[in-house]
Amino acid sequence: MNPFVVAAALAGVCVRIYHIHGFSLLAAKGYGKSLCSGGVKSPPDALPPRRGVLAFRCARDSAPRRQSGPAAERAGAGRDGVSVSKRILDLVLVIPALVILSPVFLVLMILCRIFLGRPVFFRQERPGLHGRPFALLKFRTMTDARKPDGGLLPDRERLTRFGRFLRSTSLDELPELWNILKGEMSWVGPRPLLVKYLPRYSPEQARRHEVKPGLTGWAQVNGRNAISWEERLRLDVWYVDNRSLALDAKILLMTIWKTVRRDGIQQEGFATMPEFMGSGPSAMEPPG
């Protein structure tokens, strides 16, 4: 069973939590100044740890000006409420999903071991909320085949038929449910990209890290890997500015349809998404 089907079946349980509790819970907290002049409000303990710091620059002059005053305060408190409600919803969905899908996990682990060898999981450091790194989990889809000089072969040559099946059905993403359970990811949000991309973002593109990365997102249901990097990052920032539980439910339902149709799996002529080389001045520093 696809994880998005499970998510959609349970999404209605909590979609109104924010309307009942979310705003009143955090409206009075006033978390103080944002990390950057145009950034998102965060509690003091949300600052990145010293190890592997991925700090936002205060891009006051280059980032668009944000609304200020009472209206902005109310909007900020509302988004804080959405964050709390999203975490509750994440747990309500992911715990039964892990139980229901455990036989699928077992079968895929055995198949990965047969077709790709060990290890069956792909682990890679990715930037999460506010750029903090975490270990992303996926099922392997490529071999470790190498050139005579020891370098890895191109992705197209290492991607196996079984790996293509996992990617086209999004089954390779199933282990990310563990990242959701740990609070490193959410069901919906911008996809976690590579750490090396952080210095390449423009100030506006870097705002995609104001929320937790997601298993699926607005860009994934509006083109996925078949659209340009600039469009994909623009859609990520649009989600940051317009996020709500109702939008998350819509994205989950759209994801089911896109997964069934296998839309936007790759760009024409590429086995995987081509590397993002940047499109503007950086707003983030690489890890220290």
Side-chain angles (χ1 to χ4, degrees):
M1 185 181 297
N2 194 287
F4 302 117
V5 176
V6 178
L10 296 170
V13 176
C14 294
V15 73
R16 291 187 59 83
I17 290 177
Y18 166 65
H19 298 287
I20 299 172
H21 299 294
F23 183 85
S24 60
L25 184 62
L26 291 174
K29 284 200 173 182
Y31 278 147
K33 295 181 179 179
S34 59
L35 292 177
C36 292
S37 59
V40 101
K41 293 188 176 181
S42 305
D45 60 358
L47 294 176
R50 286 184 297 173
R51 183 181 180 275
V53 171
L54 304 172
F56 286 92
R57 291 179 184 170
C58 294
R60 184 186 305 271
D61 297 328
S62 54
R65 292 186 177 273
R66 304 284 184 262
Q67 185 182 13
S68 60
E73 292 296 326
R74 288 193 296 271
R79 288 196 178 114
D80 287 335
V82 170
S83 297
V84 172
S85 299
K86 270 175 67 73
R87 181 56 184 154
I88 296 172
L89 180 60
D90 286 344
L91 291 174
V92 167
L93 296 178
V94 79
I95 292 173
L98 284 168
V99 175
I100 294 170
L101 295 170
S102 56
V104 180
F105 269 92
L106 181 60
V107 171
L108 290 178
M109 289 173 66
I110 294 172
L111 292 176
C112 283
R113 179 68 179 86
I114 294 172
F115 290 110
L116 295 168
R118 298 167 57 184
V120 298
F121 293 113
F122 170 76
R123 290 180 174 85
Q124 188 176 55
E125 190 174 80
R126 299 286 179 95
L129 180 64
H130 304 312
R132 291 198 194 100
F134 70 97
L136 179 80
L137 286 178
K138 287 187 176 186
F139 282 119
R140 282 182 64 193
T141 58
M142 297 185 185
T143 67
D144 288 328
R146 297 180 179 271
K147 305 173 185 175
D149 61 4
L152 288 171
L153 290 172
D155 290 349
R156 181 182 295 275
E157 297 181 38
R158 294 190 297 120
L159 185 61
T160 65
R161 184 176 179 181
F162 176 66
R164 288 191 180 91
F165 167 76
L166 291 180
R167 290 189 175 211
S168 66
T169 56
S170 297
L171 290 173
D172 63 317
E173 312 282 358
L174 274 180
E176 292 172 38
L177 296 179
W178 178 249
N179 294 119
I180 295 175
L181 182 66
K182 292 171 65 180
E184 298 164 335
M185 291 179 60
S186 179
W187 280 95
V188 179
R191 287 293 296 159
L193 302 177
L194 300 178
V195 172
K196 68 180 181 180
Y197 292 173
L198 291 172
R200 304 176 186 178
Y201 294 137
S202 69
E204 185 69 6
Q205 290 168 347
R207 295 187 55 240
R208 69 191 307 278
H209 289 286
E210 292 177 6
V211 298
K212 288 181 183 179
L215 188 65
T216 184
W218 188 237
Q220 279 59 56
V221 297
N222 284 280
R224 198 174 173 182
N225 294 334
I227 58 177
S228 68
W229 275 112
E230 285 70 22
E231 179 65 10
R232 183 175 177 175
L233 297 175
R234 185 190 68 79
L235 292 170
D236 286 342
V237 175
W238 184 93
Y239 172 80
V240 170
D241 289 334
N242 295 275
R243 63 191 185 274
S244 67
L245 293 184
L247 179 60
D248 284 4
K250 176 181 178 180
I251 291 172
L252 286 172
L253 292 172
M254 291 178 67
T255 299
I256 297 171
W257 177 244
K258 295 287 185 178
T259 302
V260 170
R261 294 185 59 187
R262 303 189 182 184
D263 285 347
I265 297 169
Q266 63 188 41
Q267 287 192 14
E268 186 175 353
F270 291 91
T272 57
M273 189 72 178
E275 183 175 352
F276 174 64
M277 301 307 297
S279 57
S282 170
M284 300 185 71
E285 295 286 359

